[in-house]
Amino acid sequence: MSDEGQFTEGGELQNDGNEFIDDEDDVNAEHAWKTPGGTLGGPEVEESDDDQYKNGGNKSSANNVDLCILSDVTDSMTPWTKQVRRGIRQIVNELKGTFGIGKLRLSFIGYRDWDDDGNNDGYPRIEKLQFTTDITRFEQFVKECKSVAGGDAAEDVLGGIQETLKLSWKAPIRVVYHICDAPAHGTMYHDLYDKLKAYIKPKKKKELLAVFDALSDSESDEEHNDDEEEVIMMAGKGDKENEADLKKEEEILRAEFDKWPNKHANDPKHEDLFLELKKQQIQFFIGTQTQFTDKMVSVFETYCKSIDYELKTMDLANTAQFLPTLIKAVSTAVRVVFKRNMPEIKLNLDELRKKKVNFKVHCGIDFGTAGSGFAYALAGKNEVYTDQNWSGSKHVDVKTKTNILLDRDGNCIAFGDDATDKYVRTDSKDLFFERFKMALYEKKLMEKEEKEKEKGGADGDDENYRIDIREELEAANGEKLASRKVLEEAIRFMKEHAMKNLRQKLGESLRNEEVQWILTVPAIWSDQAKSVMQTAAVNAGMVDPKIDGQLIIAYEPDCASLSIQHELNEELRLKNKQEKEAKQRKLKAGQNVAVNQEQDEDKKDDDELQEEEEMDTFFEVGDKVILCDLGGGTADIACHQLDEHGGMREIAAPSGGAWGSTYVDEHFLELLRDMFGAEWMEEFRREHPSKYIDILQNFRAAKANYKVQDKKNKTKIKKKQYDSTYHNVKVNFTFIEFMQQKAEEQQEKDGVVVDEQDEHGDGDEEEEEEEALDKLVANYRKFGKQGLVRLNEDYLELSYTVWNWLFDLVVHKIVEHVQCLLDSQAMAGCKYLCLAGGFSQSAHLQSAFFKRFGTKSKYEVCIFTPKRPILSVVDGAARMGLNPHFISARTIGKSYGIAIQKDLEEFKSIYPSTLIPKDKIGKRAVYRQHSVLSKNVINDVFLPFVRKNTLIKQSDKAIIYWLEPADIQSDKIEIRLFDSNEEDPKFVEPHRQNAKIDLHLDEKVTQPIPIIFIFNDTTIRVFVEMPNNNEQYKEVTINFDVAR
């Protein structure tokens, strides 16, 4: 029997004994769940602030909220003040609609800096709007609050906080939400002066990148030489000149950072401010965006803990996170004020995160579209091993092709290059799946492309598009097999191959339960696709679901980011070590100088050596990095920011698309279909599937070597020469013979007169057939021109114009997407762009990136690739086992929640402009003493658990919701989880049902049940604590295979 329980927001149970849920009126289980707070408040009416709080029978007065938004209003905060103005109405509606708060009064306080020397361009230090219920007035005030230059970096933070205490606070729920990107004056609140050393580091970084595959314009030797010369000049500058320049620069920068390093004379003490905030029962939330405020926040937190006052921090990586974090702040305040006596849950997230896993080996598996491989690391060691042996392959990059050959029953015959060789050489009739990973989601992407064409442009949510896995895959011979079966067989092979290699190196006694497996997936895969991968790993015998933590589903760009950071740091440490040893040799060699001078030099050198030892990490705290994992099937793009512990915060949701190198192959096939006809190509594929694959293999080899330059003297080719310069693709004799025959047949159909000499048998029939095929190719027109494609014996010659077209259809999409990210507020100030994956090795792609984003562009981004970009993901996967919390915070790409029921009139008062579909309006029976009333309700209202663009840290608390079964005879509870691409979804969409969670009860339950949701990992985890159960908690399975 399925239970229909009451569901409440924010981890609290709303138990209204006067209402009864009528099963006949509420078809869907979720419709019987309600939000807390009773009446949500009627329509807004004009009244004075005093009238609002008179005891006039207002049932919701206990839920009234005073909300003050405190913000720095200097230049750098312009995007944030705009976001406050544009989003406040939506925030008010959402707070009333979801959390059932009563009256909401708003205040805005903007602070600049002390105006002792004209810092504020004539504008006041403080701009303040007293509490008001008039949203339009609030919006207008913020709009007129001009952002101006702040003089130095530090601002009058303390003065702004002081002004909040002067407001007329009246509501029982009192909230200050502080947005800032700069610290208060005084070195006790910042270490800005320490940042001066960072200005020395770029020189060393540039020297390092000069030998670390930092990209230069591959089409311009002249520009590349300029870069090298600059590095040489910087390295060769005299020490004394450098020292003098740095001292002069430091004096200027100190004034720009903070004019009052000992605090301004009129600054209040932070101790007095927070003590008064506590006395007035004002809850203080601070949203920070940069590392420059870290010390200030730490000082505030330390004092607040000493007085038992909780200062709550919010991470604001970009303006999109303002709405969800502000809503979270107010909802948290509501729960603190009206905390109900719910039992404490037994699940301790800190213990769960810190729980040690006793695995001897961490083995990473990278299922790339083009190639697959594995790497491993031993527990407690920092070295990753990528050496392995693949049957039928001698790859130096230790990856094999992601191809699999199955028999008619679906059992694996061969994998990788071995599978390709057996299929191509023997004309096997078995099931050959080439690059099957892309085929897992290809259909979905094609459907999306068609949808975009119908709309006349790209989908606005393209950056958060998620890929589902298709149900069936088509083999090379046209036969189909369940995609999950193919995936399971591939995982089974990889597991057995890896274990064989591990046992050869570590001993035959190594057991499977002693190995932790890290499976990589594209970051743009959907929850359903990731779930399929998890299930396949279990069914293939790779992992035991009873062993906690044996499987990690890791995002490919995250793994690449970890690998690249490690490689950069190791290169930097090596360079520091070499320089240190050189200086030590110089000191030991002795100098013909005076003793005192020598001692001074020794001390100077020792100081420099100490400084070099401290500089052992390439990226600095706060550095933003865009990581592009460019593989065969997808371009996976991550936006990271280094945190203070050496991990990375994901400050924007992962994005990307079907822009892998395999789509260049597809464009080549389109070219062949356009030239020879789709019917001929399909017939050739069916009759000669192995030779069809052979042509693709030859094209990929040619594609890897393509570069816009003269092959003989390695010089740049001018654009006007593109039409007449060629790069060849070898084609097999079977293909030429097949197309010769088709061309001959077509010639006869067209009624082409055959030479009389041939009619009497005196001509050369073979020459005639070749002439027909040559004529077909020679007459082929591309871009309105002939001769861009030629057939020369067993080579298909493609002009550079055609080659560029094949690439640019894919490359331009990647470049445009990266540009959108760099233009976003979240990635403002981004310094680095890392390219990983096999496609990143393309000289054509590298050139496009450097032209658009390189150091000579307006973005001035340093672009580089690791030494072995094709191994970055698999190397990072093994390291992810050693450092599972490398990604310290994640940005949620979608909103998640459930469907609930709301009172119709209450909903209309909150969202007066929202159109309510008639099919969502229903009735509910309500028992009032001895009578039954009928109440109009609206169904399918979206109750969010977590909102899109919310930044969730590893250390954040779990999201807890309490269920109380309405039917005491129930033994089963069903929760349907929905998702949405909106930050503030009003209704659930049936086709967006993301998952289903079935809770089977061991006994009849009459008391609340806590359901714990964890969203801070690559996969959603759900725990439940059952009453009267000896187990503390248990993890429940989420069924993502629901009708979509």
Side-chain angles (χ1 to χ4, degrees):
M1 181 177 180
S2 179
D3 176 56
E4 297 183 351
Q6 295 177 345
F7 206 57
T8 66
E9 171 64 22
E12 298 175 354
L13 174 70
Q14 172 63 26
N15 185 10
D16 188 347
N18 295 323
E19 293 191 357
F20 174 76
I21 308 301
D22 188 344
D23 292 346
E24 294 181 2
D25 288 338
D26 300 312
V27 179
N28 296 324
E30 286 82 9
H31 291 168
W33 302 350
K34 302 182 301 176
T35 52
T39 303
L40 301 184
E44 190 79 32
V45 294
E46 291 295 327
E47 61 181 355
S48 70
D49 291 343
D50 290 335
D51 290 339
Q52 181 181 350
Y53 293 98
K54 289 180 180 178
N55 295 322
N58 184 358
K59 294 181 181 180
S60 62
S61 61
N63 281 349
N64 289 341
V65 176
D66 284 349
L67 170 62
C68 171
I69 296 178
L70 171 66
S71 177
D72 176 345
V73 288
T74 53
D75 267 348
S76 61
M77 294 294 292
T78 300
W80 292 92
T81 53
K82 287 182 178 179
Q83 188 71 9
V84 170
R85 176 171 56 85
R86 293 170 180 170
I88 193 63
R89 194 172 295 270
Q90 179 182 353
I91 290 169
V92 170
N93 288 339
E94 183 62 23
L95 288 171
K96 290 184 176 181
T98 302
F99 298 98
I101 67 172
K103 294 296 181 182
L104 175 64
R105 295 197 308 165
L106 298 170
S107 168
F108 183 84
I109 296 177
Y111 62 87
R112 298 186 177 93
D113 204 354
W114 293 101
D115 200 28
D116 295 14
D117 53 0
N119 284 342
N120 301 325
D121 295 337
Y123 288 88
R125 178 175 61 90
I126 301 291
E127 304 246 22
K128 181 164 64 176
L129 173 69
Q130 283 287 352
F131 282 118
T132 179
T133 57
D134 188 339
I135 299 177
T136 302
R137 181 184 173 193
F138 180 93
E139 292 170 330
Q140 187 62 30
F141 182 87
V142 177
K143 182 179 180 180
E144 294 174 357
C145 196
K146 185 175 176 60
S147 297
V148 297
D152 56 2
E155 307 296 351
D156 185 21
V157 176
L158 300 177
I161 298 175
Q162 187 177 45
E163 290 299 319
T164 66
L165 297 170
K166 300 177 182 178
L167 293 171
S168 178
W169 296 92
K170 296 181 180 180
I173 305 170
R174 305 174 180 185
V175 180
V176 172
Y177 188 89
H178 183 190
I179 313 171
C180 62
D181 67 350
H185 288 290
T187 53
M188 70 175 297
Y189 300 116
H190 66 73
D191 53 5
L192 293 177
Y193 294 154
D194 295 338
K195 304 295 180 185
L196 290 172
K197 296 178 181 179
Y199 286 82
I200 303 172
K201 291 187 180 181
K203 182 195 78 170
K204 181 173 288 296
K205 288 184 179 181
K206 196 160 188 177
E207 293 171 353
L208 175 64
L209 290 173
V211 296
F212 188 76
D213 287 343
L215 299 184
S216 61
D217 189 345
S218 59
E219 293 188 2
S220 174
D221 293 333
E222 184 177 328
E223 289 185 0
H224 181 51
N225 290 338
D226 287 345
D227 285 342
E228 290 180 341
E229 183 179 353
E230 183 179 355
V231 173
I232 294 170
M233 288 176 62
M234 292 180 66
K237 197 171 184 180
D239 290 339
K240 291 183 179 180
E241 187 178 351
N242 267 333
E243 186 177 350
D245 289 346
L246 287 173
K247 284 184 177 180
K248 184 177 181 181
E249 184 179 8
E250 182 176 337
E251 292 176 4
I252 298 172
L253 290 172
R254 287 180 71 89
E256 291 180 357
F257 283 163
D258 191 355
K259 296 178 181 177
W260 297 285
N262 297 317
K263 295 180 61 175
H264 191 276
N266 296 326
D267 274 340
K269 295 180 179 180
H270 70 266
E271 295 91 343
D272 295 339
L273 298 177
F274 285 103
L275 188 60
E276 186 62 26
L277 285 166
K278 180 184 178 182
K279 288 180 180 178
Q280 294 194 31
Q281 298 182 348
I282 300 170
Q283 299 186 56
F284 198 93
F285 297 80
I286 183 166
T288 62
Q289 309 148 45
T290 68
Q291 77 274 20
F292 303 119
T293 58
D294 289 349
K295 185 175 181 180
M296 177 184 73
V297 172
S298 178
V299 170
F300 289 172
E301 286 179 322
T302 300
Y303 176 72
C304 289
K305 286 180 182 178
S306 70
I307 61 172
D308 195 26
Y309 174 74
E310 185 178 5
L311 175 70
K312 305 171 188 70
T313 59
M314 300 283 183
D315 283 303
L316 296 175
N318 59 72
T319 54
Q321 291 167 348
F322 170 68
L323 184 148
T325 55
L326 179 55
I327 291 175
K328 181 179 179 181
V330 177
S331 63
T332 300
V334 172
R335 290 195 292 273
V336 169
V337 174
F338 299 106
K339 188 174 181 179
R340 291 172 172 83
N341 294 321
M342 304 304 298
E344 291 188 7
I345 64 169
K346 300 173 184 176
L347 176 63
N348 187 312
L349 281 185
D350 288 334
E351 291 182 1
L352 185 66
R353 278 189 290 266
K354 296 174 182 178
K355 187 176 181 180
K356 292 184 178 181
V357 288
N358 298 315
F359 299 111
K360 291 183 177 180
V361 183
H362 306 281
C363 187
I365 303 289
D366 173 26
F367 272 117
T369 299
S372 295
F374 80 92
Y376 67 93
L378 302 180
K381 307 292 183 181
N382 197 32
E383 186 173 359
V384 170
Y385 302 91
T386 58
D387 55 311
Q388 54 207 263
N389 297 312
W390 294 105
S391 176
S393 173
K394 296 181 180 179
H395 285 279
V396 295
D397 55 18
V398 295
K399 290 184 78 174
T400 191
K401 300 299 181 187
T402 307
N403 303 335
I404 191 169
L405 185 65
L406 306 178
D407 64 21
R408 314 298 293 183
D409 296 324
N411 300 313
C412 181
I413 298 173
F415 186 88
D417 294 278
D418 192 26
T420 307
D421 291 343
K422 287 184 178 181
Y423 186 70
V424 172
R425 293 177 182 177
T426 63
D427 280 334
S428 171
K429 302 301 180 183
D430 291 308
L431 305 180
F432 179 72
F433 297 91
E434 187 200 30
R435 300 191 172 195
F436 63 86
K437 181 182 173 184
M438 185 189 71
L440 288 171
Y441 48 80
E442 187 179 46
K443 184 178 178 181
K444 295 286 184 180
L445 290 166
M446 290 172 64
E447 291 173 355
K448 177 175 180 288
E449 293 288 341
E450 289 299 321
K451 192 174 180 181
E452 290 178 357
K453 289 178 181 177
E454 292 175 5
K455 291 182 178 180
D459 189 346
D461 287 313
D462 180 67
E463 68 275 10
N464 291 315
Y465 183 77
R466 294 293 178 263
I467 297 174
D468 290 335
I469 286 180
R470 64 194 304 182
E471 292 301 317
E472 289 186 324
L473 298 182
E474 185 175 327
N477 62 4
E479 296 187 34
K480 294 183 178 179
L481 190 66
S483 61
R484 299 177 192 227
K485 177 62 176 175
V486 178
L487 188 58
E488 285 174 16
E489 288 300 311
I491 291 177
R492 181 176 287 109
F493 173 87
M494 290 295 290
K495 177 252 181 180
E496 292 174 354
H497 177 76
M499 288 300 296
K500 178 181 177 181
N501 278 264
L502 290 172
R503 284 171 177 152
Q504 287 176 351
K505 293 176 173 60
L506 305 177
E508 293 295 329
S509 61
L510 181 68
R511 304 189 308 275
N512 189 60
E513 57 265 30
E514 295 176 317
V515 180
Q516 182 186 47
W517 301 91
I518 302 93
L519 280 177
T520 67
V521 299
I524 58 175
W525 269 22
S526 67
D527 295 313
Q528 182 254 2
K530 289 179 285 186
S531 176
V532 168
M533 182 69 85
Q534 286 178 304
T535 303
V538 173
N539 293 341
M542 174 178 278
V543 298
D544 184 345
K546 296 179 181 179
I547 301 177
D548 189 33
Q550 191 179 20
L551 176 66
I552 294 177
I553 298 295
Y555 287 155
E556 290 167 0
D558 293 348
C559 294
S561 179
L562 175 55
S563 176
I564 289 173
Q565 181 176 332
H566 173 79
E567 189 172 344
L568 281 168
N569 291 344
E570 288 301 306
E571 290 286 341
L572 186 60
R573 291 177 186 126
L574 177 61
K575 186 173 181 63
N576 287 340
K577 181 180 178 182
Q578 292 171 342
E579 291 183 358
K580 179 179 179 180
E581 290 174 349
K583 290 179 180 179
Q584 287 175 336
R585 287 194 298 269
K586 180 180 177 181
L587 289 172
K588 290 180 180 179
Q591 303 292 331
N592 295 323
V593 292
V595 175
N596 291 338
Q597 182 181 354
E598 185 174 342
Q599 290 176 347
D600 292 340
E601 290 293 331
D602 287 350
K603 185 178 183 303
K604 179 181 176 181
D605 285 338
D606 287 342
D607 292 341
E608 290 178 356
L609 290 175
Q610 179 65 30
E611 183 179 332
E612 297 297 340
E613 289 175 357
E614 292 175 357
M615 183 186 159
D616 59 355
T617 58
F618 183 86
F619 296 126
E620 299 172 31
V621 175
D623 276 353
K624 297 178 181 179
V625 184
I626 292 182
L627 192 290
C628 298
D629 176 31
L630 309 177
T634 58
D636 255 354
I637 303 172
C639 298
H640 289 167
Q641 184 178 39
L642 190 73
D643 67 17
E644 62 275 15
H645 303 296
M648 286 290 188
R649 298 195 313 162
E650 182 188 84
I651 56 177
S655 58
W659 309 320
S661 62
T662 300
Y663 290 94
V664 179
D665 305 353
E666 180 56 34
H667 297 145
F668 171 67
L669 292 176
E670 288 178 12
L671 178 72
L672 295 183
R673 287 191 285 265
D674 187 41
M675 183 162 49
F676 298 112
E679 291 184 6
W680 292 5
M681 288 297 300
E682 179 59 24
E683 186 177 342
F684 178 76
R685 187 184 74 86
R686 288 197 309 268
E687 294 183 9
H688 307 282
S690 61
K691 301 304 180 185
Y692 183 87
I693 297 298
D694 181 62
I695 290 176
L696 277 175
Q697 296 283 76
N698 293 339
F699 172 76
R700 289 162 187 155
K703 177 182 67 176
N705 296 324
Y706 173 66
K707 189 175 184 180
V708 182
Q709 67 177 21
D710 187 283
K711 293 182 177 62
K712 293 182 180 179
N713 52 30
K714 307 298 182 184
T715 58
K716 182 179 177 181
I717 296 292
K718 296 181 179 179
K719 285 187 178 181
K720 63 182 181 180
Q721 298 174 303
Y722 285 179
D723 287 355
S724 57
T725 309
Y726 297 86
H727 185 63
N728 304 337
V729 179
K730 185 176 177 60
V731 291
N732 52 63
F733 177 75
T734 304
F735 178 79
I736 294 176
E737 187 179 53
F738 181 89
M739 291 303 169
Q740 282 175 351
Q741 182 179 347
K742 289 295 180 181
E744 171 73 12
E745 292 173 357
Q746 186 63 44
Q747 202 173 55
E748 291 179 3
K749 285 182 181 180
D750 294 341
V752 176
V753 178
V754 182
D755 191 284
E756 291 183 5
Q757 196 176 23
D758 293 330
E759 288 183 354
H760 294 88
D762 297 330
D764 190 330
E765 185 178 347
E766 184 176 341
E767 288 183 6
E768 177 193 323
E769 291 176 351
E770 289 180 357
E771 182 181 343
L773 183 59
D774 289 341
K775 186 181 293 185
L776 184 151
V777 176
N779 290 336
Y780 175 68
R781 301 179 70 86
K782 189 68 179 175
F783 311 122
K785 301 176 183 179
Q786 291 180 341
L788 298 183
V789 180
R790 303 186 309 198
L791 183 62
N792 185 359
E793 296 183 350
D794 57 347
Y795 284 95
L796 198 61
E797 299 177 339
L798 307 182
S799 69
Y800 278 22
T801 300
V802 173
W803 274 105
N804 289 344
W805 168 75
L806 293 174
F807 273 95
D808 289 344
L809 288 170
V810 177
V811 172
H812 283 173
K813 291 182 179 180
I814 304 173
V815 170
E816 292 299 323
H817 185 79
V818 171
Q819 181 170 332
C820 288
L821 292 174
L822 285 171
D823 288 338
S824 69
Q825 191 273 335
M827 297 309 294
C830 178
K831 300 177 182 178
Y832 304 105
L833 203 164
C834 309
L835 304 180
F839 199 18
S840 71
Q841 295 173 299
S842 164
H844 188 75
L845 180 142
Q846 291 180 359
S847 176
F849 264 80
F850 188 85
K851 283 182 178 179
R852 186 72 67 91
F853 311 119
T855 53
K856 289 181 171 57
S857 73
K858 70 173 184 177
Y859 295 99
E860 298 181 334
V861 173
C862 179
I863 308 170
F864 56 90
T865 62
K867 291 180 178 179
R868 295 191 296 174
I870 200 169
L871 291 181
S872 294
V873 170
V874 71
D875 176 85
R879 296 187 187 282
M880 198 66 76
L882 297 171
N883 186 10
H885 302 307
F886 170 70
I887 303 298
S888 59
R890 293 190 181 278
T891 297
I892 303 299
K894 296 185 294 187
S895 296
Y896 291 93
I898 61 170
I900 64 168
Q901 199 177 65
K902 276 189 179 294
D903 180 88
L904 181 60
E905 295 305 317
E906 292 173 354
F907 188 90
K908 286 182 177 179
S909 69
I910 297 166
Y911 301 109
S913 60
T914 300
L915 295 177
I916 302 175
K918 292 183 179 180
D919 61 350
K920 294 190 181 297
I921 298 176
K923 291 184 179 294
R924 182 173 70 201
V926 181
Y927 278 77
R928 298 295 184 190
Q929 295 180 351
H930 300 293
S931 61
V932 181
L933 304 177
S934 181
K935 189 175 184 179
N936 290 328
V937 294
I938 180 167
N939 299 318
D940 293 336
V941 177
F942 196 109
L943 175 66
F945 288 3
V946 64
R947 297 175 187 279
K948 176 181 176 180
N949 290 322
T950 300
L951 187 72
I952 298 185
K953 295 181 288 188
Q954 288 282 349
S955 57
D956 281 352
K957 296 178 181 178
I959 297 171
I960 306 170
Y961 291 87
W962 292 86
L963 278 172
E964 181 180 30
D967 183 355
I968 61 173
Q969 300 302 316
S970 299
D971 58 4
K972 178 182 175 183
I973 297 175
E974 178 184 287
I975 301 174
R976 292 186 299 152
L977 189 66
F978 292 85
D979 63 37
S980 173
N981 279 330
E982 300 178 16
E983 291 182 352
D984 180 26
K986 303 296 186 299
F987 303 104
V988 302
E989 301 174 44
H991 70 279
R992 295 303 299 261
Q993 183 176 344
N994 185 275
K996 185 175 69 172
I997 304 168
D998 292 323
L999 302 179
H1000 297 275
L1001 311 180
D1002 296 332
E1003 57 186 42
K1004 303 301 181 289
V1005 176
T1006 58
Q1007 62 189 75
I1009 303 172
I1011 313 297
I1012 303 110
F1013 290 84
I1014 300 177
F1015 291 97
N1016 58 10
D1017 209 341
T1018 57
T1019 56
I1020 302 171
R1021 301 182 70 182
V1022 179
F1023 293 84
V1024 61
E1025 291 187 6
M1026 305 302 295
N1028 305 322
N1029 193 324
N1030 293 330
E1031 295 183 11
Q1032 288 190 331
Y1033 56 85
K1034 69 176 182 179
E1035 187 166 3
V1036 296
T1037 302
I1038 308 176
N1039 177 20
F1040 288 98
D1041 287 336
V1042 293
R1044 305 184 74 76

